[in-house]
Amino acid sequence: MVLSVPARARTRLQPLLRDADEIAHMRAAGRVTARVHEAMRRHIRPGISTAELNAIAEDVIRSAGAVPTFLGYHGFPACICTSINDEIVHGIPNPGVILQEGDIISIDVGATLDGWVGDAAWTYAVGQIPASTQRLLEVTEAALWAGIEMARAGNRLGDISAAVQQTVEANGFSVIREFTGHGVGREMHEPPEVLNYGQPGTGLRLRPGMTLALEPMVSAGHWLTDTDADGWTVRTMDGSLSAHFEHTIAITTEAPLILTSP
Ligand code: MG
């Protein structure tokens, strides 16, 4: 059976197209998130708390004249998400959570500058990590770049999704299904959803001016998730390690623009 979506609803689900001036604003917002990640890379080490990392991130964002997008978003209580080891996304910074040698930590951050949003995540090693864990980080980052490579006008959303999934699964890991990338612009979450699994040649046709957050979330084991009693922290159900890499990009007539690179 074919379910048809009313035309009006379909229109509302269409992503907005941004012009060069709007993309320049988003690039400026994205640069702020890149600065946060530079600071995280400098400060992440055994012994630092996730609350200290949050304070550093907030300082970088506000010093740039931007606003922390995540703070208060659906009630989220911090400027960054800090997700350690088996935590996938939405971990809450806490003065009692101290990074240990061998941990991995995903930092996800949004910055709103002049009403435009940049959104970027990266997973960092704390001190020395085992080679198998390093491979999880490398494969997840490679999946992000494989998705970005497909983010070209004329391709379809499913081409991005399939490239991410194939990269992950070819390396024996699994793609988290319950969380996705998304359109981003004046709002952090806009249509469309960007799945990290799917079929090439399917879905929405990509057009210049679309601005998307691509964000593979990967489990070293199974992809089923569980949410903690805090209502936020999402972790792998089987306790496997998880990694998360994200850039905000713009689709152009040529190569995709990475809006959240330094
Ligand atoms: Mg995002």
Side-chain angles (χ1 to χ4, degrees), residues 70 108 119-120 180-182 188-189 213 215 244 246:
F70 292 5
D108 193 353
D119 187 8
T180 72
H182 49 90
M188 179 160 62
H189 292 123
E215 50 177 324
H244 177 206
E246 175 184 36

Side-chain angles (χ1 to χ4, degrees), residues 74-163:
H74 292 285
F76 189 77
C79 302
I80 56 175
C81 300
T82 49
S83 307
I84 299 172
N85 296 337
D86 65 324
E87 298 169 359
I88 305 162
V89 284
H90 306 164
I92 300 173
N94 184 318
V97 175
I98 311 293
L99 297 187
Q100 311 286 329
E101 178 88 19
D103 283 345
I104 54 172
I105 178 169
S106 146
I107 304 283
D108 193 353
V109 62
T112 305
L113 183 67
D114 300 328
W116 294 93
V117 177
D119 187 8
W122 214 257
T123 303
Y124 300 94
V126 181
Q128 294 296 317
I129 58 173
S132 58
T133 309
Q134 184 62 40
R135 220 181 113 249
L136 173 68
L137 302 195
E138 287 168 5
V139 167
T140 309
E141 184 185 348
L144 170 63
W145 291 111
I148 291 173
E149 180 56 33
M150 299 308 286
R152 289 167 184 268
N155 283 355
R156 292 179 181 271
L157 266 184
D159 296 319
I160 296 175
S161 308

Side-chain angles (χ1 to χ4, degrees), residues 211-236:
T211 47
L212 305 173
L214 306 190
E215 50 177 324
M217 289 150 265
V218 172
S219 166
H222 201 280
W223 51 264
L224 278 174
T225 71
D226 217 351
T227 303
D228 284 5
D230 65 16
W232 283 106
T233 310
V234 178
R235 60 179 79 237
T236 56

